[in-house]
Amino acid sequence: MTDLDSEDRSGPCGSSGPCGSSGPCGSSGPCGSSGAGCADGDCGSAPAASPPHVPPGPGRGIFDKELLDRCISCGFCLPACPTYTLTGEETSSPRGRITLMRALETGDLPLDDPTLAEESSFCLGCRACETVCPAGVEYGQLLEQWRDHQWSGRNRPWIARALMMLVSRPGLLRLQGLVRRHASGPGGKARPEAPAPAPSARETGQPAESARPPAESERPVSLMLGCVERGLYPQVSRAVRRLCPEVDVPTEQGCCGALHAHNGDSEAGGRLARTLGDQMPGTILTTAGGCAAHLAHHLGRDRVRELSEYLDGQGHRPVGQVTVDGRRARAALQDSCHLRNGLGVTRPPRELLAAVSDYVELPSSGQCCGAAGTYSMLRPTDSRKVLEPKLSEVESARVDYVVALNPGCLRQLQQGLRRARSRAKAIHLAEFLALAAEPGQGPPDPVPGAADLREP
């Protein structure tokens, strides 16, 4: 790696800092290989939480300076990062990558430095680092800005370019949906009428604060089909219609833009999200955690609901149970990274699963499976390395089903379980709940303690 340290670098782990000359919290320094000792003051009497020195100047304008300056290089993100776990290399951690971003912004690294290209690609973008960061670093936004620069034009991987071109054509999306027969049609219940414009304060003589927007329960609910899911997994949207007959499925809907935002074109990603928001009346219901987080960022949290949190908010009580060989099925969950780390949704899917099966919490259920959008196609070897420990856990736990909340995760799990010749099956949450309600599954058994599930 290119040496990023200079003589005036005075950060807590720099060459002149208390960690010594062994590099930024390297394995030979007193902080240990994780760098966590810096946060505990083990490096000595010098302060451990001051941010690395950034030379003055306007910079290149690649990153939002306020976001970049939040990182205090404490090291709490290191053990949460899947790629740092794989390599143990500082440059493959969120802290190390932010150091690279700073060097890119200030001109300490040339634009064509190979380490920049490698690490912007190697990162999964799972945002697990955000959940443990004491400084509130919005790493996901920084990664999008980095890839906007790093993957511009012909520098964008060709697979990503091809997929982005495909999903940008609503006609092609609708065509594949018609062939694959995804859900369609209006909701089974009467849709709430659009509220009349609120009278002005002058007309009513009342303060303007008395006018209120329609409550969530009064809004129509529109099911988002997803650009990938409608073609690869059309049975998921059909299962949602069985579970939620009240939802509408607008025919004129394109891609939400998450694919663009994660692959170097966040401007187009935002534009597509806003367009979809105009196409989808009321609350947008999605069966993809990554899409939910992206839409919530651009349209507002109140407009977007992932399936499990929607069912939870509606007080939905699953019926039936899923059985295998006459017994209650053992089911595990694979969290969607962006749903968990970006929106904080973890409890609802677990309670739903526990209502219709014997729920098993895998040790790595909250960690990335290696799918990460296009990552499994761009870096298949690294993607499999991330997945392998999870497959071992599935076998050790003797589960019958691994339930996913995102189409990319579902595809990753299906392929991994098939390669491992596992008896476990990967299935989407919507399909699993619909399966439980099918005739012949048997009456539901009481689930001791299901209501006492806590956030893992």
Side-chain angles (χ1 to χ4, degrees), residues 46-66:
S50 59
H53 172 66
V54 179
R60 286 169 165 160
I62 298 170
F63 299 97
D64 182 317
K65 188 176 184 300
E66 192 274 331

Side-chain angles (χ1 to χ4, degrees), residues 7-249:
E7 292 183 0
D8 64 345
R9 179 70 57 96
S10 59
C13 295
S15 60
S16 60
C19 288
S21 60
S22 58
C25 289
S27 59
S28 59
C31 291
S33 59
S34 69
C38 285
D40 296 327
D42 294 337
C43 292
S45 59
S50 59
H53 172 66
V54 179
R60 286 169 165 160
I62 298 170
F63 299 97
D64 182 317
K65 188 176 184 300
E66 192 274 331
L67 293 180
L68 205 57
D69 287 349
R70 286 187 196 174
C71 178
I72 59 176
S73 296
C74 66
F76 282 111
C77 59
L78 272 65
C81 177
T83 52
Y84 180 79
T85 300
L86 284 179
T87 67
E89 296 289 337
E90 171 76 14
T91 50
S92 298
S93 71
R95 180 176 69 179
R97 290 185 176 114
I98 289 177
T99 300
L100 289 172
M101 294 179 199
R102 285 171 168 153
L104 172 61
E105 177 68 18
T106 59
D108 286 349
L109 279 178
L111 297 175
D112 60 352
D113 186 276
T115 306
L116 295 173
E118 168 63 14
E119 289 301 332
S120 64
S121 171
F122 189 28
C123 179
L124 288 148
C126 68
R127 298 174 63 181
C129 52
E130 294 185 17
T131 66
V132 297
C133 178
V137 174
E138 297 179 48
Y139 181 85
Q141 293 299 305
L142 288 172
L143 180 63
E144 287 187 10
Q145 293 172 10
W146 194 8
R147 287 182 176 173
D148 281 352
H149 165 76
Q150 205 72 41
W151 289 6
S152 62
R154 295 187 177 182
N155 291 327
R156 183 173 298 124
W158 71 267
I159 293 177
R161 288 204 306 271
L163 289 173
M164 291 162 67
M165 188 182 305
L166 171 66
V167 303
S168 296
R169 288 163 170 73
L172 290 178
L173 294 180
R174 286 195 291 271
L175 179 61
Q176 68 163 340
L178 292 173
V179 173
R180 297 285 287 160
R181 298 178 57 206
H182 59 64
S184 61
K189 298 179 181 179
R191 285 172 51 179
E193 295 183 3
S200 67
R202 180 181 300 175
E203 294 170 331
T204 63
Q206 298 295 322
E209 289 79 11
S210 62
R212 66 168 182 84
E216 184 174 349
S217 60
E218 299 172 345
R219 304 177 195 162
V221 181
S222 303
L223 176 62
M224 193 190 85
L225 295 169
C227 54
V228 173
E229 191 174 83
R230 75 179 74 184
L232 290 181
Y233 303 111
Q235 68 274 15
V236 172
S237 59
R238 296 197 297 265
V240 173
R241 286 304 301 268
R242 293 198 295 274
L243 295 168
C244 311
E246 72 274 13
V247 303
D248 290 340
V249 188

